[in-house]
Amino acid sequence: MPNARRRLAVLPAAFLLAAGLAHVPATAGSGPVVIDAHDSHIPTAAYEISSSTGGTVYSADVGGFGRYYLAPAAMAVGSPTIDLGPRGYNRVGATISGTRVAFPHAPSYGSDTYSSPVTSVRSCPIGTCPTMTTLTVPAGHVYVGNAGDAAILYSSATDQLRLSSWTGTLGVSYDLPFHYDEPPVAHADATGIVLSGNGNVTFVNRVANTVTDLDYGDGGYLTPSYVVWHAVGVGPEAGPWSTKVYRVLRSNPGIVGTVVDLADAPGIEDLAANDTGVAWTIPNGDEDGSQALWTMPYDGTPALYARRLLNSGLSTFEGTAQVLVNDRLAGIPGFYKVTPGAYSGSLTGILPVRPSITRSLAVSTGRAIYTDDTTHDHPAYIRDVTNATPGPESSVTHAAESVGLSGPYVAFTRPSTTEGSTDVFYGRTGTTLARVTYPMSQVAKVSVSGSRVLVNGATTRVIDAATGSVTSLGSVFAAIFGDHVATISPATGAVQRRNLVTGAVQTVRAAVAGCTSSTSCVDDDGWHLSMWGAEVVYAFGHGGTTPGFASGFFDGLTAGTTALPMLYHLGDPSVWALTYWDGHLLVSHSHDVNLHLYDLRAGGDVLVDSFAEAPFGLDGNVVAWRPDTDLRAVVRDVRDFYPGYAPEPRLLGGTLPAGFGPGAPVPLWKPSLLLSQDTTGAVDIHSGSATGPVVRSLPFTSVRGEVTPTWDGRDGSGVLLPQGTYYWTLSRPGAGPIPIENSAGSAGASGPVYLSTAAPGAPGLTAPARSTDVTAGTSFPVRWALPGAPAGTMYRLSRSTNGGAFATVTTTSATAYTATGAPGSTYRFRVQAIDPAGRVGAASATRTTMVPHDAGGTVSGTWTTAPGASYYRGSQRRASTAGATWSFTGTGTQIQLIGTKAASYGQLQVSIDGGAYAAATDTYSASTRYRQVLYTRSGLAAGPHTIKVRVVGTGGRPYVGIDAVAYLR
């Protein structure tokens, strides 16, 4: 999942987030409230400029599809503008003709957003703006332009142009020479109308009441004396691959003249003209989509404007001999008026400051984190959100991209100082954040649930922000909720739900037929996944045997899947994004671009906002989204749409000390329990089990979803309770305590806690006297046990090597340890129990283990080396000739000779340090026994000692096998 991005400015590695802000719960009853109120550093763009002697109207990208503004004549630097409201998204923009401003209103999208049906037109005389009157468009007609004194309507059924008063009275009509497949666009005044569309240009002379087909072309424009338009490739006198501008006299439209012939031009984007000259823009062919502006007097030569234009409209200016453009790249961005034939213009107006655009967004427990474009490095902000007033606000850092928030935990990404890499920062607000760096392709976006940070990318990971531990999920798309994560396999389309604690995997949706691990099955830009506990909502486009779109709602507790409600447009069920929260599904659809809140449990669908898009969030009672009409994030209360809705809090995890006790290293129980939303309730302490009697109740009001109770081990009357394991549960007030459920929703949230009032006893410890007693190598097991030890007990194992000081080998919850020794060394072990409160108990009895030397040494006579897996380190020395000897020198106070006993084995004699041979030792055994102690000599002085073995040569069983020799040190 590649994640392309530009290089941004970076700051030092550690950031200190602002401390948590006072939380004010959301209240129902008010409308959306903007939470992103900054001004952008990016100059605004003005397009669809329309100007007349009465002033200038234009649409500007102050957010979403822009807003309409009116500058009454005469426009000047610093003169006021009038905000006419949001632009909407339709083919015909706002126009001014004479002194009348008008713009259409399309309440919903069609298959082609620029030719959506317009049901009403809003207009105002300049003197009354922004107070609007509304013209309802008659059935069978569409609005195509503003003639000043009348609205211009078109009927595709009759191919007629119809004038209507602004109060709705239909007047004169004109029969057009051909049918327009799409509604034409009109440029008009009180005496004429020019229509362009479907590659045709038509002129209507309202004075002479005539209609003239001006042949092929586009971009018709009226001046007081002329009709001007342009055409590419065909038309009167036009050659192939040539763009030409034409004009005719309004008084004699039958004689067409060529104004300019642009050989090999890519086509004109915008055209404006007056009685003295013409101006046009053509694309530069650059990736930024810029245009070149050319102007020319009718009797002169074309001149190229000094700077390229970005998203600029073009119009004649207030009935003068100049044209008006929005020059965003000028030293002072704004409106410039240009005389045709000039290379530069003069500043005549400045656009309003453009509000910032929300880039990424997440909400949790009454707060929102988001980024916008107020600076080049996209800072992230955290602020309280309510339906009354949002704030205060705090800057988190700079260069943040994707952001995530859950209660007190936050995460965000930014470009790394290492080229081709991305930094992920995570931690608690109010603390220094941790940072981890991954290749850019492995970081597409982050989200947070509880203290877990999900990093989606080519390799998807889960980071525990409380411990720093990282779990790799591999190449999957994923969503997270508490202890659970849902995944989609890009290769197969299989959807799974995983328990991050137990590792259990549950199938949500089987692999798509025909998709294999060697193919890319899921559209990496078209997958949507969200979770609430055990419930999973998914939607994705896929290939396979039958390519299509998969979606569903999976209830993990009953393992049932139901259809996901969608709005279908022309049979296409695709969505832009979705998020799920406690029974509600918030969806932005790709075609109607409306934000819907579905109630998946009770049924129902409400419209949250028209013209909305991702990013958005749903958390508890709070809905947040980015409206297309403004592009600044807003919030609203879910209860505005579903009165009485009360979301159910869930436990998302947290940090829970396993034990505590008076005088212990942990004297009080102070857990951090993370909930999916803020609530009030109680942490109840039970004896015996989670359903046993309540011995203490600790009331709480969570802050940022976090519950931090304190328990001193006493009951409600102040008496210290007996040592032992107790159990906590979470509940809310109601008709009897209402349990707060675990993250899956399968049971009440609960867990054990150990109250320690005395140190634990000494564990029983076992270790072999020699490593050869239990293994054929130098490794051996050490085991211990402490009957009645509570869950969470840890053990500290210490070891002394060759009589040296004891040192800790391991601290573990296990009751066994595999020790690895060196030949010739002696190890002594002892173990202590550490209860869950950190109280350390008495040490066990010491156990000693010798690790023998292999049977190397010096020999005389005939000896062979016999291999075998049962021999110490894989072989032994063997002889059968009487008088053959073997000797070895090692260090210690005790020597033990180790070898084999068997039916064919006989006697041997031993000499220590050159002394006399001792009485014979018999190594006979009816069954073969390996690694047996054949001889022991104790009480030696500390230091080196030599053992020598002589073969007796017993009749019928002469063999002697020496495997190892152990020295006690």
Side-chain angles (χ1 to χ4, degrees):
M1 290 174 286
N3 187 27
R5 64 199 69 192
R6 61 184 176 92
R7 291 288 299 159
L8 301 176
V10 294
L11 292 182
F15 294 93
L16 186 67
L17 269 71
L21 306 171
H23 171 52
V24 181
T27 56
S30 58
V33 176
V34 176
I35 65 173
D36 179 354
H38 302 283
D39 292 332
S40 175
H41 75 285
I42 302 173
T44 191
Y47 41 91
E48 296 176 338
I49 302 173
S50 177
S51 185
S52 76
T53 54
T56 301
V57 65
Y58 58 91
S59 55
D61 66 342
V62 294
F65 302 128
R67 298 181 73 82
Y68 289 126
Y69 288 90
L70 169 66
M75 179 189 288
V77 176
S79 62
T81 58
I82 298 171
D83 186 345
L84 300 178
R87 176 183 180 274
Y89 205 7
N90 27 65
R91 182 178 177 88
V92 182
T95 56
I96 184 169
S97 182
T99 60
R100 170 73 66 166
V101 177
F103 56 88
H105 174 61
S108 63
Y109 290 123
S111 60
D112 180 352
T113 55
Y114 279 99
S115 57
S116 300
V118 175
T119 58
S120 61
V121 181
R122 296 172 183 173
S123 70
C124 59
I126 290 175
T128 66
C129 297
T131 301
M132 298 283 177
T133 60
T134 300
L135 165 66
T136 300
V137 177
H141 293 76
V142 291
Y143 171 78
V144 297
N146 170 16
D149 63 329
I152 308 171
L153 309 178
Y154 170 69
S155 170
S156 60
T158 62
D159 292 329
Q160 284 185 323
L161 206 63
R162 195 77 179 265
L163 298 182
S164 168
S165 72
W166 295 106
T167 60
T169 302
L170 292 176
V172 63
S173 62
Y174 300 94
D175 293 324
L176 299 178
F178 42 74
H179 175 77
Y180 284 93
D181 294 329
E182 294 181 354
V185 176
H187 186 239
D189 57 25
T191 62
I193 304 169
V194 60
L195 298 175
S196 60
N198 290 108
N200 296 289
V201 180
T202 302
F203 172 60
V204 176
N205 189 322
R206 294 178 62 188
V207 176
N209 203 29
T210 59
V211 177
T212 304
D213 176 13
L214 298 178
D215 211 338
Y216 177 82
D218 204 354
Y221 208 92
L222 281 179
T223 80
S225 301
Y226 302 110
V227 181
V228 183
W229 73 99
H230 60 85
V232 179
V234 294
E237 303 176 3
W241 312 116
S242 175
T243 297
K244 295 189 177 184
V245 178
Y246 304 99
R247 70 171 176 168
V248 298
L249 284 170
R250 292 172 62 157
S251 59
N252 188 7
I255 302 177
V256 178
T258 301
V259 176
V260 64
D261 188 343
L262 307 174
D264 299 322
I268 288 174
E269 290 191 349
D270 209 349
L271 178 76
N274 52 42
D275 275 0
T276 63
V278 65
W280 65 91
T281 60
I282 60 175
N284 277 324
D286 298 332
E287 291 184 359
D288 61 5
S290 62
Q291 307 92 34
L293 171 64
W294 291 84
T295 64
M296 188 188 79
Y298 290 129
D299 56 355
T301 58
L304 176 64
Y305 186 66
R307 288 174 296 275
R308 72 184 192 276
L309 302 179
L310 292 173
N311 299 323
S312 178
L314 183 64
S315 175
T316 53
F317 179 53
E318 295 183 354
T320 69
Q322 296 168 311
V323 294
L324 187 69
V325 298
N326 170 223
D327 189 343
R328 300 174 67 196
L329 301 182
I332 301 176
F335 287 108
Y336 282 74
K337 55 185 178 182
V338 182
T339 300
Y343 297 95
S344 62
S346 59
L347 180 68
T348 190
I350 296 178
L351 288 163
V353 175
R354 180 170 74 77
S356 58
I357 294 174
T358 303
R359 300 293 186 185
S360 57
L361 171 70
V363 291
S364 175
T365 56
R367 288 194 301 176
I369 182 172
Y370 62 94
T371 65
D372 57 32
D373 63 351
T374 58
T375 67
H376 289 284
D377 47 11
H378 294 193
Y381 298 93
I382 292 181
R383 73 186 306 168
D384 282 20
V385 291
T386 71
N387 268 0
T389 178
E393 181 176 78
S394 173
S395 175
V396 176
T397 183
H398 293 275
E401 294 180 329
S402 177
V403 293
L405 184 69
S406 180
Y409 286 92
V410 65
F412 60 87
T413 66
R414 70 163 201 187
S416 174
T417 55
T418 302
E419 190 67 32
S421 299
T422 298
D423 291 334
V424 178
F425 287 85
Y426 62 88
R428 292 177 62 97
T429 53
T431 66
T432 301
L433 299 183
R435 179 183 68 172
V436 63
T437 302
Y438 297 118
M440 185 181 294
S441 65
Q442 297 184 13
V443 183
K445 64 179 180 178
V446 295
S447 56
V448 188
S449 184
S451 63
R452 288 188 170 93
V453 178
L454 177 66
V455 184
N456 264 296
T459 297
T460 295
R461 297 175 173 89
V462 177
I463 304 172
D464 191 326
T467 65
S469 63
V470 180
T471 302
S472 176
L473 302 179
S475 179
V476 294
F477 308 125
I480 193 168
F481 187 89
D483 295 336
H484 299 87
V485 64
T487 62
I488 301 174
S489 167
T492 68
V495 184
Q496 294 181 326
R497 172 178 169 270
R498 308 184 191 184
N499 187 313
L500 294 171
V501 176
T502 67
V505 176
Q506 190 175 17
T507 297
V508 173
R509 188 184 192 280
V512 174
C515 288
T516 66
S517 58
S518 62
T519 64
S520 179
C521 179
V522 177
D523 179 2
D524 62 0
D525 290 324
W527 65 272
H528 311 286
L529 190 63
S530 189
M531 290 190 72
W532 169 263
E535 298 163 6
V536 179
V537 174
Y538 62 89
F540 59 90
H542 63 79
T545 304
T546 307
F549 191 84
S551 66
F553 167 60
F554 175 80
D555 183 345
L557 301 182
T558 63
T561 301
T562 57
L564 189 64
M566 292 288 177
L567 290 183
Y568 290 81
H569 181 83
L570 300 179
D572 184 353
S574 62
V575 298
W576 263 347
L578 60 80
T579 188
Y580 178 63
W581 187 269
D582 190 24
H584 293 279
L585 174 68
L586 187 65
V587 180
S588 179
H589 293 274
S590 62
H591 285 291
D592 68 359
V593 200
N594 293 333
L595 203 62
H596 294 260
L597 191 62
Y598 293 93
D599 190 330
L600 292 185
R601 294 180 183 169
D605 165 23
V606 296
L607 178 66
V608 175
D609 191 14
S610 298
F611 311 137
E613 62 178 29
F616 53 74
L618 181 63
D619 175 85
N621 282 323
V622 174
V623 177
W625 70 95
R626 183 177 74 184
D628 268 338
T629 52
D630 193 289
L631 288 184
R632 295 178 297 172
V634 298
V635 296
R636 194 165 179 181
D637 198 300
V638 176
R639 291 168 292 185
D640 291 344
F641 309 103
Y642 291 101
Y645 169 63
E648 296 292 327
R650 293 275 179 89
L651 178 68
L652 296 178
T655 304
L656 295 104
F660 72 105
V666 184
L668 295 172
W669 187 57
K670 296 180 179 180
S672 165
L673 302 166
L674 301 174
L675 303 181
S676 61
Q677 68 185 69
D678 275 325
T679 189
T680 60
V683 179
D684 292 323
I685 309 299
H686 304 257
S687 64
S689 69
T691 58
V694 176
V695 295
R696 184 73 179 272
S697 186
L698 308 169
F700 70 82
T701 298
S702 63
V703 178
R704 305 292 175 224
E706 186 175 27
V707 178
T708 55
T710 298
W711 184 36
D712 58 5
R714 300 177 184 275
D715 64 13
S717 61
V719 176
L720 183 65
L721 292 166
Q723 177 166 292
T725 299
Y726 295 82
Y727 298 86
W728 60 266
T729 61
L730 290 169
S731 63
R732 294 178 297 144
I738 303 172
I740 294 176
E741 295 183 322
N742 60 26
S743 65
S746 55
S750 66
V753 55
Y754 182 71
L755 172 59
S756 171
T757 59
L765 176 67
T766 61
R770 293 154 298 275
S771 66
T772 52
D773 290 353
V774 289
T775 67
T778 58
S779 298
F780 55 93
V782 181
R783 296 184 174 88
W784 56 88
L786 180 63
T793 297
M794 303 293 289
Y795 299 93
R796 180 187 298 157
L797 179 66
S798 301
R799 178 177 63 190
S800 165
T801 302
N802 296 328
F806 277 90
T808 300
V809 176
T810 183
T811 300
T812 177
S813 60
T815 55
Y817 174 78
T818 298
T820 300
S825 294
T826 299
Y827 300 95
R828 293 169 177 84
F829 298 92
R830 61 191 183 199
V831 67
Q832 295 169 285
I834 306 172
D835 72 12
R839 202 187 301 269
V840 182
S844 68
T846 300
R847 300 301 179 205
T848 302
T849 300
M850 294 184 290
V851 178
H853 295 283
D854 204 358
T858 303
V859 298
S860 66
T862 301
W863 291 80
T864 60
T865 299
S870 297
Y871 298 129
Y872 179 56
R873 305 189 76 179
S875 65
Q876 74 163 352
R877 294 272 195 161
R878 190 169 67 176
S880 59
T881 304
T885 63
W886 170 88
S887 61
F888 188 92
T889 300
T891 299
T893 60
Q894 182 189 84
I895 301 175
Q896 294 185 348
L897 182 66
I898 299 168
T900 303
K901 291 185 176 182
S904 60
Y905 282 50
Q907 294 179 327
L908 59 81
Q909 292 178 297
V910 177
S911 167
I912 302 297
D913 294 334
Y917 283 105
T921 297
D922 201 337
T923 62
Y924 170 81
S925 174
S927 60
T928 301
R929 299 163 63 191
Y930 300 99
R931 305 187 308 278
Q932 301 296 298
V933 177
L934 307 179
Y935 171 87
T936 298
R937 176 71 178 270
S938 302
L940 300 174
H945 297 279
T946 299
I947 180 173
K948 188 173 184 179
V949 175
R950 184 173 65 186
V951 178
V952 174
T954 309
R957 48 185 183 91
Y959 289 101
V960 168
I962 299 173
D963 200 358
V965 58
Y967 285 76
L968 178 66
R969 301 178 64 181

